[in-house]
Amino acid sequence: MLRYAAIDVGSNAVRLLIADITQTENGFDFKKNTLVRVPLRLGDDAFLDQHISVRKIDDLLKTMVAFKNLMEVYQVSSYLACATSAMREAKNGTEVIALIKERANLNLEIIEGQREANIIYANHIEDNLDINKNYLYIDVGGGSTELSVFVNKVPVASKSFNIGTIRILDNQDKEETWEEMKLWVKEQTKYHKNIAGIGTGGNINKLYRMANEKEGQPLTFLKLKSMYNQLNSHSLKERIQVFNLNPDRADVIIPACEIYITLMKWTGIKQIFVPRVGMVDGIINLLIEENLNK
């Protein structure tokens, strides 16, 4: 069995996906074997102090060593490890990467926003899009939001903005960044009609599960707004108890809703499709493209 692994060192959580690669009539596909998520919250350090603390470095190193051990046990033949917004902003990011190489023997790459968007594209969601619709692809993370506009299944514009759930919780989101995002998204979508949304990221995936929609059905703006109001009417403790949310999901889900709702308002989007994929899925698809689908 051929196995690949993807590591996503995000601002909120660190993820490892181990996937079994299978051959199909059209090339290669994968099945998720093991997914591990560790809520390290590197963004709290990076966005407030521009520096990853000793304690969080220690936790990250332990996590990476554990991931390396799991990859060996599962006999992973190829992997890609990427770090996003938090590590981009931490002034000691390169030191942390060197420590990970030394202790865990893993190569971790700090990626820019455009590469992050390209990795998410590798999920090829456009294959299932309606040719008669245009789409705004919204990927919300802890430190940044990646936006892409698809016209006739082709990405025509994309940009990364330093607006994310952890950044908002830490009051490190800037008004001018919101304004920049508003101007950009309005400019890129003003000539396109029938715009629908596509949402990726852990929070929209969770919201979609909570909405109990039929697989493949979109989440409407009104339903998302209603869920947001319901969640926001409860305290953090109540959200954990009433909605059975993990503590590290119960706080970030509120600013995530705010980002999606705001973007849908700006563009007049009435419904958002949630394919329930993320960065790690994109990394696996990228590895398949680079190694097998040649």
Side-chain angles (χ1 to χ4, degrees), residues 18-61:
I18 294 174
D20 296 337
I21 313 303
T22 53
Q23 190 154 14
T24 65
E25 288 177 10
N26 304 317
F28 290 88
D29 203 353
F30 73 89
K31 182 173 178 287
K32 293 182 184 184
N33 182 309
T34 301
L35 178 64
V36 183
R37 179 181 178 276
V38 185
L40 292 187
R41 287 273 162 108
L42 298 178
D44 282 338
D45 285 1
F47 306 141
L48 290 168
D49 305 321
Q50 283 72 57
H51 194 271
I52 309 290
S53 66
V54 172
R55 185 178 69 78
K56 293 223 169 168
I57 290 172
D58 188 48
D59 286 346
L60 180 59
L61 287 171

Side-chain angles (χ1 to χ4, degrees), residues 149-216:
V149 179
F150 280 82
V151 176
N152 298 331
K153 298 192 175 189
V154 177
V156 294
S158 70
K159 197 167 171 64
S160 178
F161 296 91
N162 281 342
I163 290 172
T165 57
I166 303 294
R167 212 183 281 271
I168 292 171
L169 287 178
D170 292 340
N171 292 312
Q172 297 303 305
D173 56 316
K174 296 185 171 72
E175 201 174 315
E176 56 264 36
T177 314
W178 280 100
E179 191 58 31
E180 185 194 352
M181 184 162 79
K182 181 180 183 179
L183 290 170
W184 186 88
V185 79
K186 280 181 171 284
E187 181 64 30
Q188 296 300 331
T189 59
K190 68 181 178 183
Y191 298 117
H192 305 304
K193 292 178 181 174
N194 291 334
I195 292 186
I198 299 171
T200 55
N203 289 294
I204 196 79
N205 290 347
K206 184 64 181 175
L207 286 159
Y208 191 74
R209 280 195 292 271
M210 288 169 69
N212 289 321
E213 296 289 351
K214 283 183 184 170
E215 194 70 38

Side-chain angles (χ1 to χ4, degrees), residues 86-145:
M87 291 285 277
R88 281 200 289 267
E89 291 196 25
K91 288 174 181 168
N92 60 337
T94 50
E95 295 167 40
V96 176
I97 279 178
L99 278 170
I100 289 168
K101 178 65 180 169
E102 182 189 318
R103 305 274 181 87
N105 194 24
L106 284 173
N107 296 311
L108 179 64
E109 175 191 345
I110 298 178
I111 59 171
E112 292 306 315
Q114 186 56 56
R115 173 138 164 89
E116 189 174 346
N118 291 343
I119 287 171
I120 295 160
Y121 288 161
N123 287 308
H124 293 298
I125 289 162
E126 72 276 7
D127 291 348
N128 301 314
L129 301 185
D130 182 345
I131 195 79
N132 299 313
K133 282 199 179 97
N134 301 308
Y135 296 86
L136 177 65
Y137 194 148
I138 309 165
D139 182 78
V140 173
S144 62
T145 294

